[in-house]
Amino acid sequence: MNRAQTLALASIGLGLVVLGLKFGAWWVTGSLALYSDALESIVNVVAAATAFVALRVAARPADQEHPYGHHKAEYFSAVIEGALIIVAAVMILRDAAAAALAPRPVEMPLVGIAVNGLATVINAGWASLLLRRGRVWRSPALVADGRHVMADVVTSMGVLAGLGLVAVTGWLLLDPIIAALVAVNILWSGWGMVRDSVNGLMDQAASPEMLLQIRSLISEHGAGALEAHDVRTRHAGQATFIDFHLVVPGEMTVAESHGICDRLESAIEGALPGAVVTIHVEPGEHAKQRGVPVV
């Protein structure tokens, strides 16, 4: 089990702890807003489990049926998480509409605020860790899980503030209104996750900043070649596939051009963790005016 899988497994355990705290807060108070917050935590646990499975699949080495590896399994995890979030939001909106017609009193609001507040602090620390590690390790599944948990934190903070207002003002209609706002926030979060994951499944290119870095590395480490052109990139989970055409003098030997390719592959893969580089060598007459010049 690698470090990303270990973190995803720990996320399941911590999610269950937070889930217990939030349902306890709802049980004590009967607040629909706290119920909506607890319902999102159920999705957190299911999403963490999905991320763990996806990371296990993505870690499998390439095989005959999947020669490019299993990296895209992480994107399926993020799509499933986004779909679960949307389902939870619809359920909350339904309950909020019913409660708005017949508002219910909130019991022991201060106890509910204290218990939910503890769960929120735990979630905030964990979400920060997931986002940091997910970005460093280039794991879409961990980043999606971190974003989901952080969205839960924002939701919980709004719920706590609203519940405090209910306790102070006694305006019971605030409870379903807050729950509805929670649902809208969840929907927005779910849409963002699905959109990003679909982009990954559709072989979205690397960012302009990364592409600029790739071109700079080619120019810096491609001594002996004439130019490089048709630089293409695509993300697949933690991997970034990079391919381009390298133009060399027509009289250069295969061994010499191969040496340049080895040097470029080593430089790019060393600077960009997860990079997989493929280079097509061409003779000088294939040079293009808009290619990447080589120093």
Side-chain angles (χ1 to χ4, degrees), residues 3-123:
R3 56 191 181 181
Q5 293 171 30
T6 301
L7 201 62
L9 187 60
S11 192
I12 298 173
L14 196 68
L16 288 170
V17 172
V18 171
L19 175 62
L21 289 171
K22 289 190 174 184
F23 263 103
W26 164 67
W27 184 264
V28 169
T29 62
S31 165
L32 181 61
L34 288 180
Y35 168 73
S36 67
D37 203 17
L39 190 63
E40 185 177 3
S41 290
I42 293 178
V43 181
N44 282 347
V45 175
V46 176
T50 305
F52 175 71
V53 173
L55 285 166
R56 295 279 290 180
V57 175
R60 294 176 184 172
D63 53 36
Q64 187 172 358
E65 294 182 352
H66 305 90
Y68 290 96
H70 301 78
H71 308 287
K72 287 191 176 183
E74 293 194 45
Y75 290 119
F76 287 104
S77 164
V79 168
I80 292 171
E81 287 189 41
L84 288 172
I85 289 174
I86 292 171
V87 170
V90 171
M91 292 173 64
I92 294 168
L93 284 172
R94 181 198 62 189
D95 291 343
L101 299 176
R104 299 187 295 266
V106 177
E107 305 291 339
M108 302 175 66
L110 295 182
V111 174
I113 289 173
V115 174
N116 195 278
L118 174 60
T120 301
V121 170
I122 294 172
N123 260 353

Side-chain angles (χ1 to χ4, degrees), residues 60-243:
R60 294 176 184 172
D63 53 36
Q64 187 172 358
E65 294 182 352
H66 305 90
Y68 290 96
H70 301 78
H71 308 287
K72 287 191 176 183
E74 293 194 45
Y75 290 119
F76 287 104
S77 164
V79 168
I80 292 171
E81 287 189 41
L84 288 172
I85 289 174
I86 292 171
V87 170
V90 171
M91 292 173 64
I92 294 168
L93 284 172
R94 181 198 62 189
D95 291 343
L101 299 176
R104 299 187 295 266
V106 177
E107 305 291 339
M108 302 175 66
L110 295 182
V111 174
I113 289 173
V115 174
N116 195 278
L118 174 60
T120 301
V121 170
I122 294 172
N123 260 353
W126 189 248
S128 298
L129 178 63
L130 286 172
L131 288 170
R132 286 199 308 271
R133 296 303 182 191
R135 286 164 181 159
V136 171
W137 299 340
R138 296 172 55 79
S139 170
L142 287 181
V143 171
D145 198 18
R147 285 178 178 172
H148 188 184
V149 176
M150 187 58 76
D152 192 16
V153 171
V154 174
T155 296
S156 296
M157 292 175 64
V159 166
L160 291 173
L163 195 59
L165 286 174
V166 172
V168 172
T169 64
W171 189 27
L172 299 181
L173 192 59
L174 268 178
D175 192 36
I177 290 175
I178 295 166
L181 292 175
V182 168
V184 172
N185 180 63
I186 293 173
L187 278 172
W188 180 253
S189 172
W191 161 248
M193 290 170 60
V194 171
R195 179 196 60 209
D196 292 345
S197 300
V198 169
N199 283 337
L201 290 171
M202 294 295 292
D203 290 334
Q204 184 179 33
S207 66
E209 293 78 15
M210 180 179 286
L211 189 57
L212 184 63
Q213 184 179 4
I214 292 169
R215 290 178 176 275
S216 177
L217 288 166
I218 294 172
S219 178
E220 182 180 352
H221 297 278
L226 300 177
E227 66 158 37
H229 60 253
D230 294 343
V231 180
R232 300 187 304 172
T233 62
R234 65 182 179 89
H235 284 308
Q238 300 179 47
T240 301
F241 291 91
I242 303 165
D243 65 80

Side-chain angles (χ1 to χ4, degrees), residues 225-229 245-248 286-294:
L226 300 177
E227 66 158 37
H229 60 253
H245 294 202
L246 184 71
V247 180
V248 300
H286 286 228
K288 294 184 177 181
Q289 294 181 349
R290 302 172 73 176
V292 179
V294 176

